[in-house]
Amino acid sequence: MAMTSQKSEDSLMAELNVTPLVDVMLVLLVIFIVTAPLIVPQSMKVNLPKTQAVAQQDNAKNAQLIVESNGQATFEGQQVSDKDLGQLLKDKSSTPQFQLQVSADKAVPYGRVAEIMAIAQANGVTKMSFVSVPVTKK
């Protein structure tokens, strides 16, 4: 009795090559990751509420910081550099009632205001408010 054996060349390949499918899916994933942050802010339209001025209720010891349109900071009437501002805020923020009131010109870039906020936070300021002109009723 003779046994017949099948050679490997005679058998059919029953495997599916998924490498091209994985490659396409990874490319689509990368495209989605890159484009998603660009699409979302355009679709979100935020209308901020307009409010009336609210009187301050607590007994805070306020310090005035003015940021002029050129980005120069004036703390309690004296022009200061960022380094000096940090030291002054560190000294003042040791009292729990200390509050920093920031009056920034509307022409000041947001990045400069963010720098001032970072300096204040890094030097222990926990209470900060922004001064604006109240809405007038006509």
Side-chain angles (χ1 to χ4, degrees), residues 16 24 41 49 52 67 80:
L16 180 62
V24 169
Q52 298 297 322
V67 184
V80 293

Side-chain angles (χ1 to χ4, degrees), residues 45-134:
K45 295 186 181 352
V46 178
N47 294 322
L48 297 176
K50 294 179 182 175
T51 61
Q52 298 297 322
V54 177
Q56 191 170 353
Q57 300 287 329
D58 59 352
N59 297 327
K61 294 182 179 178
N62 299 327
Q64 187 74 22
L65 175 66
I66 299 170
V67 184
E68 299 170 12
S69 60
N70 62 359
Q72 178 62 43
T74 305
F75 185 70
E76 295 184 334
Q78 296 182 22
Q79 287 190 349
V80 293
S81 66
D82 289 352
K83 185 177 180 182
D84 295 336
L85 177 63
Q87 186 59 42
L88 288 169
L89 290 176
K90 186 179 278 188
D91 295 340
K92 295 270 185 176
S93 65
S94 60
T95 61
Q97 293 86 15
F98 177 75
Q99 179 177 353
L100 180 64
Q101 290 184 332
V102 179
S103 300
D105 191 296
K106 66 180 179 179
V108 174
Y110 174 74
R112 178 64 179 146
V113 176
E115 288 172 359
I116 297 289
M117 291 172 59
I119 291 169
Q121 184 180 14
N123 289 291
V125 176
T126 56
K127 295 180 184 177
M128 184 183 310
S129 62
F130 293 91
V131 180
S132 63
V133 177

Side-chain angles (χ1 to χ4, degrees), residues 20-62:
L21 178 65
V22 171
D23 290 345
V24 169
M25 295 305 292
L26 287 175
V27 168
L28 289 175
L29 179 65
V30 168
I31 290 171
F32 177 73
I33 289 172
V34 169
T35 59
L38 301 174
I39 295 171
V40 173
Q42 296 171 356
S43 65
M44 296 185 335
K45 295 186 181 352
V46 178
N47 294 322
L48 297 176
K50 294 179 182 175
T51 61
Q52 298 297 322
V54 177
Q56 191 170 353
Q57 300 287 329
D58 59 352
N59 297 327
K61 294 182 179 178
N62 299 327

